[in-house]
Amino acid sequence: MKNRYLLLALSCMAAFSACKDEVAFTPDYPLNVVVDSTLTVKIDASQTYQTIDGFGASGAWTLDYIGKYWSTSNKEGIARALFSSEIKDGQPQGIGLSQWRFNLGGGTSEQGDASEIEDKTRRGECFLNANGSYTWNKSVGQQYFMEKAKEYGCDQFILFAGTPPVYYTKNGKGWSSSGESANLKDDCYDDYADFLATVAQHFTDEGYNISLISPVNEPEFDWTGGQEGSGWRNSEVARLAKELDAKLTEKGLANTKMLLAEAAKWYFLYERGDAGNNRGDVIREYFDPSSSNYIGNLEHMPNIICGHSYWTDMTWNTLYDYRSKVHEAAKKYDLKVYQTEWSMMTEGYEDCPVYDESSYMDISLAMAKVMYHDLATANVSSWSYWTAASQEQYSQKNRFYLIRLIPAGGDYGDIEENGTFSAGKNLWVLGNYSLFVRPGYQRIGLTVPNQNNQFFGTAYLSPEKDKLVIVYTNCTQKSIQIENTFEGLGKEVGDYEQYTTSASKDLRKEPDYQKGLIPARSVSTFVYTLK
């Protein structure tokens, strides 16, 4: 219905009583709660989809500096925002990330300016020394956040690398001059694999669950400078995977698996695209037994393929098109799909075509559309943001961070100085999922009448079937009242709590009088108890 009406009214008896006692009547709720339309949504537990393994973010690059140089109160505040699951007086203290990605640097920090990577925050320290020994107090800032993540209950850690250690690269740098070929000496594949397995063993011995190792990043790019990186041919990735598999077995790391292939764009999972003849099409190349690069039978190669949501996210139709193809390609080989990196890389999104004219919430709603299609169309089991924290520069607003860092010298100041931080809208929108949709929850059916790019949602059922979580995104300029109906749960649906992120709310618990109403331009999570 389009007519606007008051959702709540005064209690006449209460008003009469107030007048009788000559005390001004003040209701416990506002009187101007307005509904613009109502939607009846069906949640159907008989329709089941992927199981969620977790939601995460990457600590690279700036958190290494924050953990090393910033004040304890700042560091603890950032860790709380990322990892805490506590809700105090209706306000979540953090977003309860369940996965954390740790950057294994290649030694460009030790090279300094000689690394030829101008931005020092994009260099990385390496645990390995030139003489083959290891120094474990490197990357101390990253290790701080790793420790805090564990303390808060995050128990899935992914080690990822952009480059092999510089001692093993062809050009002695952390960036590549080898084109599409790996910047790794031909006789160092086993050495690089040993490095990765040794670091995993160290942190495992320290009590961390190193669930995955990602040894290559966006191999479809040549990575000729600017940050650590290397191109990789599929045959080279397969060769490295076999070496890493052997090293993980040798070190007894039965629970640590490989994560491939951090595809730079979704379509590299199912086609060559613009990657050339030796890269891309990685699902078939790695998991088809007839492929010369088949590695699906390796002990430490799980049935998981991962990619990044960059560049294929501009419009609703584009989001659907690429992700539906990812789902079909992965389903053919019974693979889980992980989305391991996203931030707003380009201009021209349908919701915020001009950044200068876009609000922070506009950008976060664009992210919500990406998350929806990654989860509902690509059927990803894991979703991670790149990167957890950064400075806001060049009028980019919140395109590249969950948490904004402001050094003492301002947005363009030295990151090694102490400063201040603030939690961004992207953090809280991600929290609409990560805080409530926990590892082991399964996505179930949800039908919105005439669903389109302005209103959409997904639903998730806990392993014990005692919690039901529904996440809605309302991109319209109007408030929408939701009436949820339920099928196939086999349990009584009890009361629920609702948490909203909007321009004025940061994942805030709604009061009872507001429950069921999704404000304009917001993301809202309903958490039901099932009996």
Side-chain angles (χ1 to χ4, degrees), residues 282-341:
V282 295
I283 288 179
R284 184 192 62 80
E285 291 251 337
Y286 298 152
F287 290 98
D288 189 328
S290 67
S291 167
S292 60
N293 296 317
Y294 176 62
I295 50 177
N297 60 342
L298 298 179
E299 177 185 353
H300 296 273
M301 184 67 189
N303 285 346
I304 300 174
I305 197 73
C306 73
H308 299 168
S309 254
Y310 306 129
W311 317 112
T312 58
D313 55 349
M314 307 295 287
T315 68
W316 185 257
N317 290 338
T318 300
L319 285 162
Y320 176 81
D321 181 55
Y322 287 109
R323 286 151 187 80
S324 61
K325 292 174 182 176
V326 166
H327 175 57
E328 289 303 314
K331 186 169 64 173
K332 181 178 179 180
Y333 297 95
D334 194 25
L335 303 178
K336 286 185 178 182
V337 180
Y338 278 18
Q339 193 292 120
T340 47
E341 286 188 23

Side-chain angles (χ1 to χ4, degrees), residues 116-128:
E116 299 180 49
I117 296 175
E118 183 176 356
D119 184 348
K120 67 182 180 183
T121 69
R122 299 197 174 196
R123 305 169 188 165
E125 289 186 318
C126 188
F127 293 116
L128 180 66

Side-chain angles (χ1 to χ4, degrees), residues 66-132:
I66 304 307
K68 184 175 182 180
Y69 295 110
W70 283 37
S71 69
T72 298
S73 61
N74 274 323
K75 292 188 293 187
E76 290 184 348
I78 292 171
R80 184 184 308 112
L82 292 170
F83 304 116
S84 175
S85 297
E86 180 184 5
I87 300 174
K88 184 184 296 183
D89 298 327
Q91 179 60 62
Q93 301 302 290
I95 64 168
L97 293 180
S98 49
Q99 295 178 326
W100 188 240
R101 291 168 58 83
F102 186 105
N103 180 39
L104 293 181
T108 52
S109 284
E110 290 87 342
Q111 290 180 324
D113 291 342
S115 69
E116 299 180 49
I117 296 175
E118 183 176 356
D119 184 348
K120 67 182 180 183
T121 69
R122 299 197 174 196
R123 305 169 188 165
E125 289 186 318
C126 188
F127 293 116
L128 180 66
N129 301 311
N131 64 4

Side-chain angles (χ1 to χ4, degrees), residues 3 17 24 74 140 170 179 199 206 256 269 296 329 362 367 419 424 511:
N3 294 330
S17 242
N74 274 323
V140 294
K170 295 175 181 176
V199 177
E206 292 289 308
T256 300
L269 294 186
D362 289 338
M367 182 182 88

Side-chain angles (χ1 to χ4, degrees), residues 3 15 85 104-105 167 178 192 195 199 221 244 250 253 268 327 332 339 367 382 384 386 395 444 457 466 502 510 519:
N3 294 330
S85 297
L104 293 181
Y167 323 115
S178 298
Y192 181 32
F195 162 74
V199 177
F221 292 162
L244 181 54
E250 177 185 304
L253 296 172
F268 290 136
H327 175 57
K332 181 178 179 180
Q339 193 292 120
M367 182 182 88
S382 169
S384 289
W386 176 270
S395 301
I444 60 174
D466 61 348
S502 65
E510 298 285 11

